[in-house]
Amino acid sequence: MPTSHVNSLIAALPLDRGAAEPLFRQLYGAIKAAILDGRMGPGMQLPPTRAFCRLLAVSRQTVLNAYALLAAEGYLDGTVGRGTFISPDVPLSVPPSAAPAPGTPGLLRPLSARGQGVVTAMRQVAIHRGPLRAFRVGMPRIDHFPFDVWTRLEARRWRRPDHQFGYSDPAGFLPLRELLCVYLKASRGVRCTPQQIVITSGSQQALFLLSTILLAPGDAAWMESPGYRGASGPLRAAGARVFPVPVDAQGLDVAYGVAHCPQAKLAYVTPSHQMPLGVSMSLPRRLALLAWAAQHKAWLVEDDYDSEYRYTGAPLASLQSLDRAGCVVYVGTLSKVLFPGLRLGYMVAPPALAEALAQAKAVMDRHTAIVPQMALADFIAEGHFGRHIRRTRDSNAERRDLLLRGIARELDDQLACGPADSGLELCAYFRGAHEEEAVARAGLERGIELRPLGHYADPQAGAACATPAGLLLGFAAIPPAELAHGVQELGRILRGR
C-alpha cells in the first residue's frame, strides 16, 4: 500500500483531546477499529513511531503504549529494525449483511425459536416509565418503607462477613426460609416446611422456572382471562399452548376449562384477589379446581401477589392450604410488601418438586443475592416486617377510601366499581360507551395513567372470555392530592370536556 495512503489513514484516526479517556487508549481503539473494518489490512506496514507522532501531533509514548496493547492482543507484529505491521493472522474483514434476520429488527443472526418466543411473549408485559402519577398500577407505597432500618440491617451483615458470603444454597438463606414458613402458616394457612420454600429473584423468576420445568413445548396451560400478562409471558416463552379460561364473580370458571381443555398440564390462578378484576375464588370453585388437578395430574400455580393487603375481614386461606394431592405451587412476592427494586420472591412446592426447583434455580443464576436475604431475615425476626405491613395496610385503606369516595362523588354516573376489599388497585367498569384505549391515551395527555382492562385480556380468547370495558386504577402509591387530581381529570375525559 502506498505510503501516502497509509499516512492519510493515520491522519484521519479520530482523537478527542478533551475527553477523559487517555489518548493512548483512544489511539488503540481507533487503530483496532480500522483493522477490524478492513481499512487497515493484514501485512500493512505502519509508519515508524516518530513519523506517527508527527502525523497525529501526539507524544511518542502515546504511540508506544497503543502499539504495545495492539501487539499484546495479536493485532500487530514488529521487530526492531524491521518495522511494525498489521498481523497476517488478522482475517480479512467480512462486510456486514445488508438484511437483518427476519422477525428481529437489527439482528444480523436469527434468535432461536425459543429465544424469539421469550422476546415476543414478554414484549406484552407493561413496564413503568417516568415519574409516579395517578393511577399507576402494581406499585406499593415506597415512601412508607423504613429504609433507615433496612440500611442498618444490611450494614450490620456487611460488617460481619462469614462463610455465607461464598456460594450459597440455591434454595435460599435457611433462616429466611424458616421465618417465611412461620409467617405463611400464620397469615395464609400455608402448610409447609422450610425445605419446601425456594427463594427467587422476584415472583417473575418463579413463574419462568415453573413454566420451564413443568411444561413441555405444546403442553396446554389454563390462564385466567383477563389475567396477569406477566404470567402468560413465561408460559408462552416455555412453548406452552396457553388456553384462556374466563373469570366471573366466583373466579376462574373451572367448568369451562374442564369442558374445553381437560388435558391441560398446568393452571395459573390468582384465587385470593384475581388480577385484574379483584374477585375471590369461591370455595366450590377452589374444590373443583383441586379435584380436576388431582384427577388429571396437573399442576396448579397459585400466585398470591398481594394477600397482605386485605381491608375487610380476616385474610383468606390459601388454595395451597386445601391441597391434599400435592399439586399446588404457592408463589409469593415481597415486591408489593417491601419495594419492587428488592427483587425477592419465593415458591412453596411439594417436597420433591422443591428440590427440582432449587436445582433449576442453580442453573439459572446459582442463587439469589445473599445479603438482601440476610437483611430480610433480620427484618422479620426483629418485628419490623409485621409493623411495616400493618402500617402500610392502614395507609392503603385510607387511600382506597379516598378513591372510592372520589368516584362516588364525581364519577358515580360514569364508573361502577368492582370488589375493593383488598389489593393495591381498584377495577372500575364504564357505565357508558367508551373506548378503553382512547380513554387511556387521553389520560396520558392529561398527565394520568389509565390501564385498560383490555390490556389483561388474552388476544386469542373468544367471546366466552369477554370482559366489560373499564379501567384498573392504582391507588396505594398515589398521594391524596394526586388521587383527587386524577379523579377530576378522569371525569373530564369521560364527559368529553
Side-chain angles (χ1 to χ4, degrees), residues 13-338:
L13 293 176
L15 295 179
D16 182 358
R17 299 174 194 279
E21 184 179 27
L23 282 176
F24 82 91
R25 295 289 308 186
Q26 294 184 49
L27 182 56
Y28 151 81
I31 296 174
K32 181 177 177 179
I35 293 171
L36 292 175
D37 66 22
R39 285 175 289 145
M40 295 182 177
M44 172 182 164
Q45 184 174 12
L46 297 181
T49 54
R50 295 186 189 280
F52 211 122
C53 296
R54 289 194 298 272
L55 288 169
L56 288 175
V58 296
S59 72
R60 186 164 181 258
Q61 193 60 48
T62 295
V63 178
L64 289 172
N65 288 344
Y67 274 16
L69 275 177
L70 290 162
E73 293 183 9
Y75 292 98
L76 299 183
D77 286 335
T79 56
V80 177
R82 179 172 170 267
T84 302
F85 298 82
I86 307 298
S87 172
D89 295 329
V90 175
L92 293 172
S93 65
V94 179
S97 169
T104 312
L107 277 185
L108 300 181
R109 295 165 183 80
L111 296 175
S112 68
R114 179 183 290 272
Q116 190 62 53
V118 171
V119 172
T120 303
M122 297 311 291
R123 194 176 286 149
Q124 307 301 320
V125 179
I127 299 175
H128 297 308
R129 292 186 174 90
L132 181 67
R133 52 190 174 179
F135 295 94
R136 181 167 294 178
V137 302
M139 282 294 293
R141 184 176 175 181
I142 296 176
D143 63 341
H144 242 21
F145 186 75
F147 286 102
D148 55 339
V149 173
W150 186 268
T151 300
R152 174 173 57 80
L153 295 176
E154 276 208 347
R156 187 171 69 191
R157 286 292 183 173
W158 282 118
R159 286 194 299 269
R160 296 184 299 185
D162 56 23
H163 68 281
Q164 297 282 359
F165 276 41
Y167 290 108
S168 301
D169 186 341
F173 186 49
L174 181 57
L176 174 59
R177 289 186 282 143
E178 291 171 339
L179 289 162
L180 284 174
C181 185
V182 174
Y183 167 72
L184 292 172
K185 283 180 180 177
S187 66
R188 306 293 294 116
V190 172
R191 300 178 300 111
C192 67
T193 66
Q195 288 67 39
Q196 291 176 250
I197 298 178
V198 178
I199 305 297
T200 59
S201 299
S203 62
Q204 199 64 42
Q205 185 185 61
L207 296 174
F208 187 83
L209 280 168
L210 290 167
S211 299
T212 302
I213 74 166
L214 298 183
L215 297 172
D219 282 348
W222 290 1
M223 177 71 202
E224 298 170 328
S225 185
Y228 176 48
R229 299 289 282 273
S232 60
L235 291 172
R236 288 195 166 93
R241 181 169 59 87
V242 174
F243 182 80
V245 179
V247 177
D248 59 23
Q250 295 188 63
L252 184 83
D253 189 342
V254 179
Y256 180 93
V258 172
H260 294 85
C261 188
Q263 75 281 9
K265 300 295 185 184
L266 180 147
Y268 168 86
V269 289
T270 51
S272 295
H273 184 233
Q274 202 275 333
M275 169 60 85
L277 303 184
V279 300
S280 298
M281 187 181 291
S282 67
L283 180 58
R285 291 275 179 92
R286 292 177 184 233
L287 296 176
L289 182 62
L290 288 165
W292 166 78
Q295 180 182 351
H296 292 270
K297 298 190 185 312
W299 294 102
L300 302 179
V301 177
E302 177 182 12
D303 189 350
D304 208 16
Y305 64 100
D306 63 359
S307 61
E308 287 81 7
Y309 299 130
R310 183 167 175 82
Y311 310 119
T312 57
L316 300 178
S318 64
L319 181 69
Q320 192 266 7
S321 67
L322 300 173
D323 180 23
R324 297 297 181 269
C327 59
V328 176
V329 182
Y330 179 92
V331 175
T333 180
L334 294 156
S335 297
K336 302 293 189 291
V337 182
L338 305 179

